[in-house]
C-alpha cells in the first residue's frame, strides 16, 4: 500500500489501496483500447501497411503476473486476427500512465495520446515510418476514457489535512512522480506544496528534475530527503535479522549511501536539502546521535521526524526547517543534470557517471543504433533510466555507494506521447512477478464488509 502508517496516514486507506477512484482502470482501458484497435486495423485489411512483426505496443493489466510477459495473440485461425508475439506490462509502466501524469489539460492529454508510437510500416530499414495512435484514430476515444481520471484525487490525513494522490508511474520504469495537475493544484491551494518523487534520489528525484520539471516548467525550492537508520544499517551490511539491533558501526558505514544522495541533490540538482530521519521505535540514542552528528558535520540540516507515532506534531520541526530554507529564497536554484541538446547516449552516460557513480555505460550495437536514430528523430527528449531501486548500480546486491561500475543498457523504448526515451538497464522488468507468499494471501473481507489484511 501507499497510504502511510501509524498516525501518518491518508484515508480512506482501503479505497486508496484497492480500486480508489478507478483511475488505474481507466488507464488500463485506454491503453488496451489502443492495443485492440492496432490488431483490428491489421485484421481489417491493414490500410496503413503496419508490419505485425514491428508492433511495439503491448497490453497492460494492473496485476503482477509473470506468465503474461510474453504471449501469442491471434491464435485460432483467421477469424481471430493476425497471429503475432505480444506481451503485457503492469499498468503503472504504461506510457498512457506517464502521459496522464504529465498532461496539463484535456487538450494536451489528447494531443500526447495521439503521438504514442505503436509500430512501424513494412519495408526496408531506413524507409519505414512510425505508426501512431492518431494514425489509428484511437486518441480521441482514449482521451474520453481518461477524461475524469485527469482530475486530481483529494483525500485527507487522519488529522483532516488536505492531500492528493493522483497517478502512479513506476519510479524504476517511468518517471515516478505525482501528476502535474495535482502538483499544480496543490501549489494553488496551499502556501507550501510537498510532492513526492518515488524511490531514491537517484531515480525519482533525478526524473522529477530532468523529466517532470523540464517538460512542465515546475521549479522546486528545496528537497526533503527521507532516511531511516534501518536503511543505513542495510547499506552498511546488515541483513533483516540485524535491522532492529543496535549497530552504530554498520549505520556509519551505510552513511556513504546517504552522502551520495546529498551530493547529488546539492551539486547535480543544485538544491538545498533537509534530511528527514524517519524514526522507528527500535532506533537507539547512539544511532540517532551518530547520524545527526554526521549530518551536522556536512552542514546538512537533519531533523528527527516522529510523525508515525505523533502525527503532525511529530513533523513540526521538519516543517519549520523546510519553511526556513524555502522562505529565504527568491527563486528556485534547481538545475538540470544534462542539457536538452545532448544526444541520448550522452544523456544516459551523464546520469550514470554523475548520479550513479559509474565509470561508463555499455550496450549492444543494436541499442546504440536505435539511440542514434531516436536522437535525430526526437531531439531534446530527456531520458528515463529504468533500473533497480536497491542500488546506485544495476546490481541490487551492491549496497552503499558503489563506484566504477558499468551500466549496461539492455533495451530502449520510445515514449513519444510522454515525451521521453526509456533506457532499460540491468534486470529490471516492466511486468513484475508475485513473491512466494503474495500479500493477497492475507487480504480478506469480514461478514460486515470490513476489509482486513491491507497495510
Amino acid at each position: 500500500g501507499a497510504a502511510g502508517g501509524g498516525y501518518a496516514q491518508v484515508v480512506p486507506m482501503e479505497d486508496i489501496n484497492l480500486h480508489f477512484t478507478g483511475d488505474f482502470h481507466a488507464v488500463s482501458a485506454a491503453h488496451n483500447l489502443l492495443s485492440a484497435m492496432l490488431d483490428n486495423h491489421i485484421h481489417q485489411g491493414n490500410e496503413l501497411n503496419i508490419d505485425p512483426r514491428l508492433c511495439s505496443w503491448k497490453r497492460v493489466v494492473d496485476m503482477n503476473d509473470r506468465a503474461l510477459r510474453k504471449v501469442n495473440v491471434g491464435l485460432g485461425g483467421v477469424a481471430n486476427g493476425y497471429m503475432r508475439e505480444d506481451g503485457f506490462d503492469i499498468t503503472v509502466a504504461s506510457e498512457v500512465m506517464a502521459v496522464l501524469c504529465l498532461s496539463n489539460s484535456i487538450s494536451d492529454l489528447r494531443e500526447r495520446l495521439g503521438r504514442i508510437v505503436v509500430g512501424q510500416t513494412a519495408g526496408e530499414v531506413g524507409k519505414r515510418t512510425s505508426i501512431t495512435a492518431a494514425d489509428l484514430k484511437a486518441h480521441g476515444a482514449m482521451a474520453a476514457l481518461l477524461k475524469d481520471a485527469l482530475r486530481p484525487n483529494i483525500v485527507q490525513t487522519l488529522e483532516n489535512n488536505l492531500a492528493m494522490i493522483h497517478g502512479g508511474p513506476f519510479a524504476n520504469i517511468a518517471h515516478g512522480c505525482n501528476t502535474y495537475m495535482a502538483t499544480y493544484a496543490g501549489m494553488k491551494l496551499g502556501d507550501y506544496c510537498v510532492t513526492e518523487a518515488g524511490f531514491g534520489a537517484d531515480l525519482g528525484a533525478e526524473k522529477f528534475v530532468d523529466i517532470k520539471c523540464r517538460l512542465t516548467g515546475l521549479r522546486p525550492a528545496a528537497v526533503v530527503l527521507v532516511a531511516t537508520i534501518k536503511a543505513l544499517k542495510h547499506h552498511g551490511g546488515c541483513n533483516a535479522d540485524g535491522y532492529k539491533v543496535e549497530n552504530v558501526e554498520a549505520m556509519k558505514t551505510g552513511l556513504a549511501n546517504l552522502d551520495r544522495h546529498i551530493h547529488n541533490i546539492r551539486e547535480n540538482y543544485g538544491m538545498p536539502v533537509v534530511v528527514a530521519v524517519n524514526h522507528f521505535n527500535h532506533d537507539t540514542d547512539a544511532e540517532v546521535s551518530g547520524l545527526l552528528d554526521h549530518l551536522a558535520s556536512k552542514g546538512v540540516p537533519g531533523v528527527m521526524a516522529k510523525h508515525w507515532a505523533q502525527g503532525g506534531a511529530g513533523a513540526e520541526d521538519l516543517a519549520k526547517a523546510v519553511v526556513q530554507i524555502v522562505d529565504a529564497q527568491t527563486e528556485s536554484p534547481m538545475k538540470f543534470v544534462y542539457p536538452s541538446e545532448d544526444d541520448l547516449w550522452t544523456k544516459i552516460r551523464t546520469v550514470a557517471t554523475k548520479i550513479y557513480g559509474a565509470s561508463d555505460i555499455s550496450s549492444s550495437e543494436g541499442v546504440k543504433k536505435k539511440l542514434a536514430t531516436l536522437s535525430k528523430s526526437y531531439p531534446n527528449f530527456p531520458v528515463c533510466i529504468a533500473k533497480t531501486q536497491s542500488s546506485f548500480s544495476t546490481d541490487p546486491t551492491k549496497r552503499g555507494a558503489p563506484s566504477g561500475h558499468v551500466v549496461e543498457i539492455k533495451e530502449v523504448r520510445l515514449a513519444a506521447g510522454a515525451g521521453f526515451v526509456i533506457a532499460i538497464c540491468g534486470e529490471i522488468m516492466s511486468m513484475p512477478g508475485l513473491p512466494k507468499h503474495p500479500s493477497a494471501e492475507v487480504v480478506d473481507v469480514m461478514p460486515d464488509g470490513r476489509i482486513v489484511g491491507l497495510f
Side-chain angles (χ1 to χ4, degrees):
Y7 286 102
Q9 288 191 53
V10 286
V11 290
M13 185 268 280
E14 292 87 352
D15 293 337
I16 293 168
N17 282 332
L18 294 174
H19 302 286
F20 201 23
T21 58
D23 289 353
F24 277 47
H25 302 314
V27 169
S28 297
H31 182 115
N32 292 329
L33 169 66
L34 180 55
S35 301
M37 292 184 70
L38 171 61
D39 282 312
N40 183 64
H41 182 89
I42 296 171
H43 175 70
Q44 300 288 358
N46 199 4
E47 182 181 346
L48 294 173
N49 192 30
I50 301 170
D51 190 332
R53 300 167 300 174
L54 299 176
C55 292
S56 55
W57 190 251
K58 295 183 178 181
R59 287 163 162 82
V60 297
V61 62
D62 189 28
M63 188 69 62
N64 292 5
D65 193 347
R66 63 173 58 84
L68 294 178
R69 289 172 184 160
K70 297 284 186 180
V71 301
N72 288 322
V73 297
L75 300 178
V78 176
N80 295 330
Y82 193 97
M83 188 174 71
R84 65 181 181 88
E85 186 178 283
D86 198 2
F88 279 76
D89 288 332
I90 193 167
T91 296
V92 289
S94 167
E95 184 182 349
V96 175
M97 177 66 83
V99 165
L100 177 75
C101 291
L102 290 167
S103 298
N104 59 33
S105 66
I106 191 69
S107 298
D108 185 41
L109 173 71
R110 184 180 181 277
E111 183 179 336
R112 286 177 179 273
L113 292 170
R115 294 201 300 263
I116 291 174
V117 173
V118 298
Q120 304 287 317
T121 58
E124 298 178 18
V125 176
K127 295 183 180 180
R128 300 166 181 159
T129 58
S130 296
I131 300 297
T132 66
D135 293 330
L136 293 169
K137 300 178 183 178
H139 58 310
M142 293 169 70
L145 286 169
L146 294 167
K147 177 179 68 71
D148 293 330
L150 187 62
R151 299 174 180 177
N153 304 313
I154 295 177
V155 292
Q156 62 178 321
T157 70
L158 293 178
E159 297 172 334
N160 308 119
N161 290 313
L162 185 72
M164 294 185 188
I165 295 183
H166 194 210
F170 255 21
N172 55 358
I173 297 292
H175 66 291
C177 302
N178 197 15
T179 67
Y180 169 78
M181 295 287 280
T183 303
Y184 183 75
M187 293 168 63
K188 290 290 187 181
L189 291 170
D191 295 323
Y192 303 91
C193 177
V194 182
T195 188
E196 182 190 14
F199 287 141
D202 56 323
L203 285 171
E206 187 272 321
K207 295 171 184 180
F208 181 92
V209 168
D210 283 318
I211 296 178
K212 184 173 180 176
C213 291
R214 193 189 299 265
L215 297 181
T216 64
L218 291 169
R219 292 293 182 272
V223 174
V224 178
L225 179 62
V226 180
T228 66
I229 290 172
K230 175 181 174 181
L232 292 173
K233 287 192 288 189
H234 170 82
H235 282 287
C238 284
N239 294 316
D241 57 357
Y243 292 156
K244 297 182 180 181
V245 180
E246 182 177 274
N247 193 330
V248 177
E249 290 307 310
M251 188 273 294
K252 288 183 176 179
T253 301
L255 286 170
N257 182 273
L258 181 63
D259 287 345
R260 181 174 289 175
H261 285 303
I262 292 171
H263 171 80
N264 284 339
I265 294 166
R266 283 174 148 183
E267 303 302 322
N268 293 318
Y269 311 150
M271 287 181 285
V273 58
V274 177
V275 174
V277 182
N278 191 4
H279 183 263
F280 283 71
N281 292 333
H282 49 75
D283 296 340
T284 68
D285 292 342
E287 291 169 337
V288 169
S289 61
L291 172 53
L292 295 180
D293 288 347
H294 175 80
L295 292 172
S297 71
K298 296 282 185 179
V300 178
V303 184
M304 291 303 300
K306 298 185 177 182
H307 44 278
W308 186 90
Q310 301 174 12
E316 189 173 343
D317 290 342
L318 173 62
K320 288 179 178 177
V322 175
V323 166
Q324 184 178 5
I325 290 174
V326 171
D327 286 354
Q329 298 180 44
T330 56
E331 60 181 4
S332 170
M334 188 205 78
K335 60 183 180 182
F336 300 123
V337 176
Y338 51 80
S340 294
E341 57 268 21
D342 280 356
D343 64 85
L344 291 167
W345 181 268
T346 302
K347 290 172 181 174
I348 298 170
R349 190 177 188 278
T350 299
V351 174
T353 55
K354 290 178 69 173
I355 306 301
Y356 305 158
S359 61
D360 207 348
I361 61 175
S362 66
S363 75
S364 66
E365 287 302 314
V367 167
K368 286 182 180 179
K369 288 180 181 179
K370 187 170 183 178
L371 283 170
T373 299
L374 290 172
S375 291
K376 294 177 181 178
S377 301
Y378 301 92
N380 302 321
F381 265 30
V383 292
C384 182
I385 300 180
K387 74 168 189 70
T388 178
Q389 69 275 17
S390 300
S391 174
F392 278 109
S393 73
T394 56
D395 181 351
T397 66
K398 290 186 176 180
R399 307 182 190 186
S403 60
H405 50 280
V406 176
V407 174
E408 182 184 4
I409 309 167
K410 296 283 189 70
E411 181 188 349
V412 175
R413 300 177 186 176
L414 171 65
F420 54 74
V421 171
I422 303 167
I424 308 291
C425 300
E427 302 302 318
I428 200 71
M429 292 185 177
S430 49
M431 170 53 85
L434 291 171
K436 185 174 182 179
H437 294 288
S439 299
E441 291 180 356
V442 297
V443 176
D444 207 342
V445 59
M446 297 292 99
D448 62 359
R450 287 183 300 111
I451 295 172
V452 296
L454 293 176
F455 59 93

